[in-house]
Amino acid sequence: MGVALTKSAQWTTAAGFGTGTLEITPLNEGILKEIIMFVESFIYKHPQEAKYVFVEPLEWKTNLDPSAFESGYVVSATTVKSEEVDKNGQPLLFLSVPQIKIRSFGQLSCLLFIAKDTKLKEAQACIEANRNPVAKILGMDYNTMKEDPSILNILDKITKEDDPESEVKMKMAMLLEELDLHLLNYSLKHASLEIHLNPVTIKKDIELLKHFSGQGEQTVLESIEYTSDYEFSNGCRAPPWRQLHGEICYVLVKPHDVETLCITCCAEGVFLNGGKTDDEGEINYERKGAIYKDLVTFLKHKSAKFSENMSKQVSTRLTEEQQKVKDQPKKAPKKKEADALHKSITSSNKSKLENNQINFGKNQMTKRLEPSVNWKTDVDFKVISVRDTQEKKHGGRPEKSTPPVSPGRAQLVHKNADKTEEIPSESSSESEEDEEPPDHRQEANADLPSEYWQIQKLVKYLKGGNQTATVIALCSMRDFNLAQETCQLAIRDVGGLEVLINLLDTDEVKCKIGSLKILKEISYNPQIRRNIVDLGGLPVMVNILDSPHKILKCLAAETIANVAKFRRARRVVRHHGGITKLVALLDCAQNSTEPAQASLYDERDVEVARCGALALWSCSKSYANKEAIRKAGGIPLLAQLLKTSHENMLIPVVGTLQECASEESYRAAIKAERIIENLVKNLNSENEQLQEHCAMAIYQCAEDEETRDLVRLHGGLKPLASLLNKTDNKERLAAVTGAIWKCSISKENVTKFREYRAIETLVGLLTDQPEEVLVNVVGALGECCQEYENRVLVRKCGGIQPLVNLLVGINQALLVNVTKAVGACAVEPESMVIIDRLDGVRLLWSLLKNPHPDVKASAAWALCPCIQNAKDAGEMVRSFVGGLELVVNLLKSDNKEVLASVCAVITNIAKDQENLAVITDHGVVPLLSKLANTNNDKLRQHLAEAISRCCMWGRNKVAFGEHKAVAPLVRYLKSNDTNVHRATAQALYQLSEDANNCITMHENGAVKLLLDMVGSPDQDLQEAAAGCISNIRRLALATEKARYP
Amino acid sequence: MNRKKLQKLTDTLTKNCKHFNKFEVKCLIQLFYNLVGDVTEWQGVVIGLDRNAFRNILHVTFGMTDDMIMDRVFRGFDKDNDGCVNVSEWIYGLSLFLRGTLEEKMKYCFEVFDLNGDGFISKEEMFHMLKNSLLKQPSEEDPDEGIKDLVEITLKKMDYDHDGKLSFSDYERSVREETLLLEAFGPCLPDPKSQMEFESQVFKDPNEFNDM
């Protein structure tokens, strides 16, 4: 007890001087309660020891009134004596207001019983007054002796036999010892449970989070702010009267995926409070949720996005921190912070982090398809970077983690800064590897392969040799495996790149050839590419494109093709006029008048053109380059080359076209240059890569209706359909399915596809395919299912089940297509039965919660036929708990497509009276009315339909009038779209049953507009317009009658 | 030289030369006599370019610098080994020089590099030809070490039968694999640039041809 009291109990600062007081803390309270429990039960558990008389009385000031003491006590006005006395006849309890003296545990127990509610205060006062109770109870000497338990034991044995009193004393001592231990344990447990937050940690947390907040996908939060700018000297921001409750500050947090949270940070933890009240900016301090141990934990529970991004940030942050710690080992606090962060976050997030990485990989897969050569390099690149990070992780190699200080790098940063304004002009089809990969240089001390030294020697001869020695060294260097990274990096690390690039500036044709042959090989390495650009290699190569020697042109173009795999390089090529020169290389046929003295180093013209196309293919991944190629007259030349039959030539040509076809201008030119014909022809090629690029180009171009027709007219649909059966090459399959998707937007093409039995095959591809294939397959099915025959076909082939299964995916593009396809199928009542059985409607409905507006809208469109065709649709809709509320709330969206689709869903829901009543209760009328002011015809049509349906319930007609929906509706009649007219006239007809609405319509000139509509060939429109006019007229007559009876 | 004789000479030389047409042969003959100077032909005295004159042409016109190689080129031109290049040797040599096929050039180059004419390019010969090809590093203990190493590298690359010297078949195989090795031991053919200049200069006047 002594130890517990001195060490664990939290005394106020005054403790050292005289009577200190115990602070009111949960810990102290706990300790006191434990002591009280011990004392209270003492009398029952140890009756013998309870009678033991303390050596000195415990003495304190009590608040108890003498009158509280009853039987067993001699009570006077100001004094109380216990009837129980010691051997000397002294009372064991003596109270002389306010001083009380107690000399046994029995009396202490009694006192606590008497104190009832105030026992905590009494116990506290007692402990405060008697800082060393053990000494008083057992005597001073005992207190010191008991430090050593072995002595205690001996003493125990000796005394046991002769002296009964000291035996009791001994037992007493042991009991107290036990209590002490118990208390220590208790306080330890308490301490470990309650690590209190303090203003400093909270401030750090908030600053950290602020650092990672802002707009954009990568941040953890949108914003985090204090409610008050004023910070008290103790670091708190809460008003003083709230600080009393341990509250430190209040924070407004806006995560990406949930509403703004108003949070209280207090000593016990972090919790959601009642939020800011609207009117005065006051905070409702009441706690509204569970207490979390800190801000980060709290936010992780509240926002999924936060926890996802946080785990990303933490990993980077951690490395940063570690870096800092490494750099400045003296700054211990940073390390602590990092450790704390680590402790609190890593354990729970490791798994998430991994998930993220997996997802990240997937995302890259689903990006636009790149030419396969690119894919290969991407994979290479990823492997490298993965290895890099691994090395970093495991590495005790400090050099790796420090930023490289090569001059090239510095220059690079500078260049980047220069060109920032140009970045937006780059096209979206940029390859992923645009991020600069970390440089990792060979270390001087590491075990270097023998190639390294040999290459070093060769580079020495390159530097110090004449032409002859240089050629020998270059040829010898080519004997190394230049595809191997060790050799590539060795050449760079011994300064070989500089020499090779310098050689390009000489007049020695042989040296240039030898150098380019090496550069061409090693530039497959992404790092080398960057080094070549940094060393200014590209402008020299671009100049070589003008060389009279074809072999030099070829080699330079091929090397450029390799180097220009990243954005900065492509820009350099363009800025040095490379695109024009490369396009000139394509022009091989015209160049037939060449000097007769074809020298040793010559290539065929076709080869030159091929290399040119290869380089253009690489360059064409930047938007500005696509433009430059077009301006340089590249398209007719590419079209010309497309007529050849060399696969080697066709692949880069089609690759370039495919890349460029993302631009509208190219698609027009492709159509004009009759390129489609040749693309179709090459679909029949044997070469998989060529087939893939052709299909990809068709996929790009078939956005255009005329092109789709051209594909059909040139017989392209059949090869596409037959390629669909070859599923081994996934890249090709993705391209082919993409082409089929886009082509099937035209009805005639769909008919052809059905003829070629492509629809059955497509259904077969709904399972076990990568996402990029699935997106296209489902897209194609969605288009095909617009026709009755195909819907039946899809159902009969069992396509509905896999389609519905795909509704649970996460890929946005896939979901948009799947919902469309399911919606198309749902038009068929028989299919609808299957969808309903598979719970497809519920899945569609839950996609209304998807964060992407495209998915939301597509799901909503799909729901319309479902509701139309489902049996017991009303009942089905009602069965979705919260479903109707969800739909109504989507009317608050700001996306026009979402709004139109949701209006259509509401139109269908409102066909059921009961559901109409429910959505009316959810406030559908004001929400629809709010949308009325729009110019979007699609939205207008569906909105008018929804309004017209919703008028069927209660006083909704009146309510629409009250919410000022009528006047804007009248204006819809001025639109050019007949669908809008019809829907609007019907809505107005419904609304016109309310007199006030008639007045509004009349005031807004509806009658004249409606009169025109009566003349429309559309019967529904006629009827609605006429009905509306008649209602208005009838009201007018009634008014007249009322006025002049 | 009279016109008739020239005509006759042109006809015979054109017949024997596969790479030049008549006009080109005529131009080259004219050039030859311009270079030799207008010396009348004495009975028994060979008219032609001696070693120095020829080397001068190689140096000025074709940008060659290596004395030894130029000597070897002279020997290559001077088929009859009489110390002077006559007009038919001149035409024949230049036809290879400017228009030769790879096979012809390989044969010619190998002969140039095979200093002692024993049918092999030995290590010593290589060393001899390469000895000036590296910048002398003052720090090197053995200044020839780099050259020796270069010879080893070359052998490793070109000596397919591993007999420590290059036979013609070794050489041929290497060159077919990598054309750059044709002039592996020194430039013995005109470089493309000077070749082009030379041709445009010599074959410049087709009108004259028409006159004939």
Side-chain angles (χ1 to χ4, degrees), chain A residues 337-517:
Chain A
E337 191 188 323
D339 284 351
L341 214 78
H342 192 82
K343 225 183 273 169
S344 62
I345 299 158
T346 29
S347 57
S348 62
N349 278 10
K350 258 184 189 152
S351 58
K352 279 179 194 160
L353 197 73
E354 280 161 16
N355 281 343
N356 274 332
Q357 278 166 348
I358 292 163
N359 284 345
F360 181 57
K362 264 191 191 160
N363 285 344
Q364 289 200 327
M365 288 299 284
T366 55
K367 270 195 179 176
R368 257 191 80 269
L369 292 174
E370 298 284 340
S372 64
V373 171
N374 230 22
W375 272 10
K376 217 189 299 169
T377 52
D378 279 353
V379 170
D380 287 346
F381 165 71
K382 268 174 214 148
V383 170
I384 290 161
S385 64
V386 163
R387 191 170 50 210
D388 245 14
T389 46
Q390 273 173 350
E391 269 173 47
K392 265 185 195 161
K393 265 184 215 153
H394 303 299
R397 299 184 178 185
E399 279 173 45
K400 293 257 162 97
S401 43
T402 51
V405 279
S406 67
R409 182 43 67 108
Q411 192 187 346
L412 177 161
V413 172
H414 174 72
K415 273 185 191 163
N416 272 355
D418 273 354
K419 306 287 184 189
T420 22
E421 83 281 354
E422 238 198 273
I423 287 167
S425 78
E426 300 291 350
S427 112
S428 58
S429 59
E430 300 281 337
S431 58
E432 295 75 12
E433 58 159 325
D434 274 343
E435 304 97 46
E436 312 260 334
D439 236 356
H440 64 113
R441 301 231 167 216
Q442 291 274 3
E443 282 167 64
N445 302 332
D447 288 335
L448 293 167
S450 62
E451 290 101 323
Y452 185 88
W453 304 112
Q454 290 167 13
I455 287 175
Q456 189 176 40
K457 204 168 60 186
L458 289 176
V459 169
K460 200 177 80 189
Y461 298 147
L462 281 185
K463 282 180 186 163
N466 68 2
Q467 185 204 13
T468 310
T470 304
V471 170
I472 292 175
L474 287 172
C475 292
S476 172
M477 202 181 266
R478 292 237 296 139
D479 284 347
F480 288 94
N481 181 5
L482 294 178
Q484 205 185 337
E485 201 187 19
T486 12
C487 295
Q488 295 165 344
L489 296 183
I491 293 177
R492 178 190 69 184
D493 292 346
V494 298
L497 279 182
E498 288 89 335
V499 186
L500 288 173
I501 290 171
N502 274 342
L503 283 175
L504 298 182
D505 259 335
T506 61
D507 274 341
E508 292 296 339
V509 178
K510 277 181 286 183
C511 294
K512 284 198 225 182
I513 294 173
S515 162
L516 277 174
K517 278 181 173 173

Side-chain angles (χ1 to χ4, degrees), chain A residues 49 51-59 86-88 90-92 101-105 108 130 132-143 165-166 168-170 172-173 176:
Chain A
E49 287 79 10
K51 284 178 192 140
Y52 166 79
V53 180
F54 300 165
V55 174
E56 272 182 74
L58 296 175
E59 196 173 346
D86 65 359
K87 286 181 280 184
N88 310 325
Q90 290 289 323
L92 291 178
K101 291 181 187 176
I102 293 183
R103 295 176 55 192
S104 81
F105 266 107
L108 272 176
N130 305 285
N132 197 346
V134 183
K136 284 195 170 173
I137 294 168
L138 297 172
M140 225 34 191
D141 48 341
Y142 207 85
N143 189 37
E165 198 191 329
S166 52
V168 173
K169 198 172 175 179
M170 227 46 235
M172 204 62 209
L176 288 175

Side-chain angles (χ1 to χ4, degrees), chain A residues 832-833 836 866-876:
Chain A
M832 188 53 222
V833 174
D836 200 13
C866 289
I867 300 173
Q868 271 167 17
N869 294 315
K871 247 192 264 169
D872 284 334
E875 192 52 47
M876 177 187 76

Side-chain angles (χ1 to χ4, degrees), chain A residues 828-899:
Chain A
E828 222 54 52
E830 261 182 83
S831 305
M832 188 53 222
V833 174
I834 304 175
I835 295 174
D836 200 13
R837 199 179 60 223
L838 295 169
D839 221 9
V841 185
R842 184 186 299 275
L843 291 173
L844 279 175
W845 209 289
S846 60
L847 283 177
L848 293 177
K849 289 184 225 160
N850 193 291
H852 299 289
D854 291 349
V855 179
K856 270 185 206 167
S858 185
W861 288 121
L863 278 173
C864 297
C866 289
I867 300 173
Q868 271 167 17
N869 294 315
K871 247 192 264 169
D872 284 334
E875 192 52 47
M876 177 187 76
V877 169
R878 273 192 296 283
S879 73
F880 302 134
V881 178
L884 289 172
E885 192 178 1
L886 174 68
V887 170
V888 172
N889 280 331
L890 279 178
L891 289 174
K892 292 170 189 161
S893 162
D894 41 16
N895 182 304
K896 290 278 186 294
E897 187 67 20
V898 172
L899 289 174

